[in-house]
């Protein structure tokens, strides 16, 4: 068994967190390859090193003195090294970086968060440090070159055995540093897992995996023990984000499961993300409920639309023209709605409505705003007749007006639109109606 363990910023925020990481890594010999983020927040009022480094770049851009900020960053690293008695000459190396700061690109500056955290953790864990610039290959355009990167990591592992790699950055063939999006250390971890062909990709963070609902809305929501990649996409899209979305692709393609674990509570089971049916005779009917507020629908009515061709396309191309991403398109016979995030259209809504009037001469265009979407996600929903009926009954009994109903085509989610003001109540109502309900897992019979 071989595992990649990726530790997020909060897992390495200070010397105490480094100690927890060491215990975790040493308690399982399968944890041979480690990926690490830059030291994160030590408490809610603290700053992530990555944020401070972005701020350093802004100071340089606007000619504001950046030295005090850099000194803060240095102190974070120095105190970790000092408390753990590390030999890595962090002061010397950081001073060198600081003295040359004006010669570096913003990407290089920001990547030093991961670089220095990685140097310190590699020494502390007794692992060899590999600079991500040597193996994570980016195209000049800024996208990652997957084939080259996988090849590089594979060759490296063959040659050197276990290693520690800082996440979040890589380099172009001309050695210019490039970054993934924020939170992109998860992608590095996934690429390493895929390249080495490990059995499990562990993603260590500060929560014990996904919860079946937002704990700010539902008291003590049940943790999700197992989730499929598609379910995770649905829930993350609706705001329940634990993992960088892009990070699932490299491992999913080859069937490597991901487990989300909590560095501060390592014995909690966490959440396994996998498409393989696991050995469970009973499963939850609903995996999770998530949602977002502030949607808006532009409803277009055009009599005899059902026999005319091209109306929806014309309207959609108007949204495209304004660069607005369309979330859903509920349709009727002679009408349809275009559902978008209200914030995406706040300065072009009138122009869009005007263009629709000019382009398709509708009988009516109406804007319905201030509604929320709640997604009820579950791989078992499709096999259980009556789930949607029960959702609607529960919402009806609670006096919640349903403004929109959609079912995802794979039948793993049912989405309802409610007024923004009913959002929390709708989630609680659906959760209480059956989020804890168990059903027979057919997959376990098939084996
Ligand atoms: N340090 C980077 C960030 O804060 C990347 C990561 O943590 O994955 O976004």
């Amino acid at each position: 068994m071989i595992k990649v363990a990726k530790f997020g910023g909060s897992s390495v925020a200070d010397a105490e967190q480094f100690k927890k990481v060491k215990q975790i890594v040493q308690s399982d010999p399968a944890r041979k390859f480690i990926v690490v983020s830059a030291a994160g927040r030590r408490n809610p009022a603290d700053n992530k090193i990555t944020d401070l480094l972005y701020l350093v770049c802004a100071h340089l851009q606007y000619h504001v003195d950046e030295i005090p900020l850099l000194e803060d960053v240095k102190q974070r690293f120095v105190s970790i090294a000092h408390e753990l008695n590390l030999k890595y000459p962090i002061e010397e190396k950081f001073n060198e970086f600081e003295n040359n700061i004006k010669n570096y690109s913003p990407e290089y500056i920001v990547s030093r968060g991961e670089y220095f955290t990685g140097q310190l953790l590699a020494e502390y864990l007794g692992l060899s440090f590999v600079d991500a610039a040597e193996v994570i290959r980016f195209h000049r355009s800024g996208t990652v070159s997957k084939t080259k990167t996988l090849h590089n990591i594979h060759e490296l592992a063959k040659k050197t055995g276990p290693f520690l790699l800082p996440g979040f950055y890589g380099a172009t063939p001309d050695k210019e540093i490039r970054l993934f999006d924020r939170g992109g250390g998860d992608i590095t971890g996934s690429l390493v897992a895929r390249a080495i062909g490990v059995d499990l990709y562990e993603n260590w963070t500060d929560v014990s995996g996904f919860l079946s609902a937002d704990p700010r809305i539902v008291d003590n929501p049940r943790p999700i023990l197992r989730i499929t990649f598609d379910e995770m996409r649905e829930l993350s899209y609706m705001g329940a984000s634990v993992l960088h979305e892009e990070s699932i692709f490299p491992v999913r393609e080859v069937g490597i499961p991901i487990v989300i674990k909590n560095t501060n509570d390592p014995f909690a089971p966490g959440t396994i993300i996998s498409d393989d049916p696991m050995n469970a005779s009973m499963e939850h009917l609903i995996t999770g409920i998530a949602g977002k507020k502030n949607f808006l629908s532009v409803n277009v009515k055009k009599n005899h639309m059902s026999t005319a061709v091209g109306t929806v396309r014309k309207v959609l191309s108007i949204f495209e023209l304004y660069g607005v991403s369309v979330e859903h398109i509920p349709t009727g016979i002679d009408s349809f709605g275009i559902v978008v995030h209200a914030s995406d259209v706040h300065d072009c809504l009138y122009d869009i409505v005007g263009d629709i009037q000019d382009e398709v001469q509708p009988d009516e265009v109406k804007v319905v705003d201030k509604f929320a979407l709640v997604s009820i996600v579950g791989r078992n929903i499709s096999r259980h007749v009556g789930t949607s009926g029960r959702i609607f009954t529960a919402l009806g009994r609670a006096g919640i007006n349903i403004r929109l109903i959609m079912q995802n085509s794979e039948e793993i989610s049912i989405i309802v639109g409610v007024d923004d003001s009913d959002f929390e109540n709708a989630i609680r109502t659906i959760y209480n109606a059956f989020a804890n309900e168990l059903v027979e897992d057919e997959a376990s019979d098939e084996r």
Side-chain angles (χ1 to χ4, degrees):
M1 170 79 114
I2 304 181
K3 297 176 182 175
V4 165
K6 186 261 166 178
F7 291 91
S10 59
S11 302
V12 287
D14 59 17
E16 284 314 302
Q17 294 300 89
F18 266 56
K19 289 181 191 165
K20 292 181 191 169
V21 169
K22 189 172 191 166
Q23 262 183 7
I24 291 166
V25 172
Q26 292 187 341
S27 68
D28 184 352
R31 295 183 179 126
K32 291 194 192 324
F33 298 94
I34 308 298
V35 174
V36 70
S37 287
R41 288 191 190 94
R42 293 160 292 185
N43 55 62
D46 197 17
N47 291 308
K48 295 181 178 187
I49 296 269
T50 305
D51 289 329
L52 293 175
L53 291 170
Y54 272 111
L55 203 55
V56 166
C57 298
H59 278 51
L60 288 165
Q61 187 186 355
Y62 295 106
H63 313 289
V64 181
D65 182 12
E66 78 288 356
I67 300 297
L69 262 176
L70 277 170
E71 285 300 306
D72 274 2
V73 175
K74 179 162 85 186
Q75 272 325 306
R76 297 270 314 260
F77 290 131
V78 168
S79 68
I80 293 175
H82 186 77
E83 279 178 55
L84 301 174
N85 271 324
L86 300 177
K87 295 201 179 51
Y88 181 77
I90 183 70
E91 277 208 73
E92 197 185 306
K93 297 282 183 192
F94 199 93
N95 289 342
E96 212 177 292
F97 162 61
E98 191 171 319
N99 294 336
N100 287 303
I101 196 108
K102 301 225 158 59
N103 304 325
Y104 296 134
S105 68
E107 287 89 348
Y108 182 90
I109 294 173
V110 172
S111 73
R112 294 308 92 179
E114 265 67 14
Y115 178 87
F116 287 123
T117 308
Q119 288 281 10
L120 298 179
L121 188 65
E123 180 188 336
Y124 188 54
L125 298 178
L127 281 173
S128 56
F129 172 87
V130 175
D131 187 348
E134 304 293 330
V135 286
I136 306 287
R137 190 60 60 239
F138 276 81
H139 298 294
R140 285 186 192 89
S141 64
T143 56
V144 73
S145 159
K146 200 166 134 197
T147 322
K148 200 91 192 68
T149 298
L150 293 180
H151 172 81
N152 290 348
I153 300 171
H154 186 80
E155 291 301 304
L156 177 77
K158 257 198 338 213
K159 220 164 38 198
T160 66
F163 59 73
L164 179 144
L165 185 78
F168 188 43
Y169 73 94
T172 63
D174 354 293
K175 305 219 172 313
E176 275 182 29
I177 298 288
R178 291 282 187 279
L179 304 173
F180 288 108
D181 307 336
R182 294 304 305 267
D186 291 342
I187 306 175
T188 311
S190 186
L191 289 166
V192 175
R194 163 77 180 268
I196 296 170
V198 299
D199 302 285
L200 184 64
Y201 170 25
E202 290 183 336
N203 192 289
W204 292 84
T205 173
D206 54 2
V207 290
S208 301
F210 283 87
L211 295 171
S212 50
D214 185 337
R216 288 166 300 187
I217 300 176
V218 171
D219 283 342
N220 276 322
R222 169 180 60 75
I224 300 175
L225 292 180
R226 187 171 93 75
I227 191 168
T228 64
F229 286 98
D230 284 337
E231 287 175 313
M232 192 203 94
R233 293 269 299 164
E234 296 269 335
L235 286 175
S236 306
Y237 188 69
M238 280 296 190
S241 179
V242 178
L243 196 69
H244 191 295
E245 288 216 10
E246 290 301 313
S247 69
I248 70 173
F249 297 107
V251 286
R252 179 184 196 172
E253 284 159 9
V254 291
I256 299 172
I258 306 175
V259 61
I260 309 288
K261 296 279 286 178
N262 188 349
T263 299
N264 304 321
D265 186 8
F267 295 108
T271 302
I272 292 196
I273 309 161
S274 159
D275 287 336
D276 275 344
M278 304 264 161
N279 240 339
S281 57
M282 294 297 270
E283 286 209 331
H284 287 279
L285 172 56
I286 283 171
T287 305
I289 305 167
K292 281 201 269 199
K293 285 186 180 179
N294 275 322
F295 285 93
L296 164 159
S297 177
V298 177
N299 295 343
V300 180
K301 185 167 174 11
K302 186 168 166 67
N303 291 328
H304 310 298
M305 187 189 94
S306 54
T307 50
V309 176
T311 313
V312 178
R313 180 187 54 75
K314 283 183 197 151
V315 171
L316 282 176
S317 57
I318 294 171
F319 281 86
E320 187 180 344
L321 198 71
Y322 287 89
V324 176
S325 155
V326 171
E327 302 294 316
H328 298 282
I329 314 171
T331 48
I333 305 293
D334 282 332
S335 67
F336 58 96
I338 305 284
V339 178
V340 297
H341 283 286
S343 56
D344 288 351
V345 289
H346 81 96
D347 47 7
C348 55
L349 184 59
Y350 288 107
D351 297 330
I352 288 177
V353 170
D355 286 3
I356 293 173
Q357 265 149 352
D358 294 346
E359 281 283 319
V360 299
Q361 283 99 38
D363 292 297
E364 187 180 272
V365 187
K366 214 164 65 187
V367 174
V368 179
D369 66 352
K370 295 198 179 62
F371 71 86
L373 295 180
V374 175
S375 180
I376 301 106
V377 178
R379 56 189 174 276
N380 293 314
I381 291 178
S382 62
R383 292 188 283 106
H384 289 272
V385 178
T387 313
S388 51
R390 288 174 54 196
I391 295 171
F392 306 142
T393 308
L395 291 173
R397 287 216 177 105
I400 295 168
N401 183 18
I402 302 175
R403 312 247 318 254
L404 198 85
I405 299 169
M406 282 166 295
Q407 181 161 27
N408 140 314
S409 52
E410 266 123 41
E411 287 190 62
I412 66 155
S413 71
I414 294 167
I415 296 174
V416 291
V418 297
D419 285 332
D420 270 347
S421 55
D422 283 330
F423 177 66
E424 285 84 2
N425 194 12
I427 290 186
R428 273 192 292 269
T429 301
I430 300 166
Y431 185 88
N432 293 335
F434 47 0
N436 280 318
E437 185 172 317
L438 291 166
V439 292
E440 201 80 40
D441 172 23
E442 284 174 8
S444 66
D445 301 340
E446 282 159 19
R447 273 187 297 270

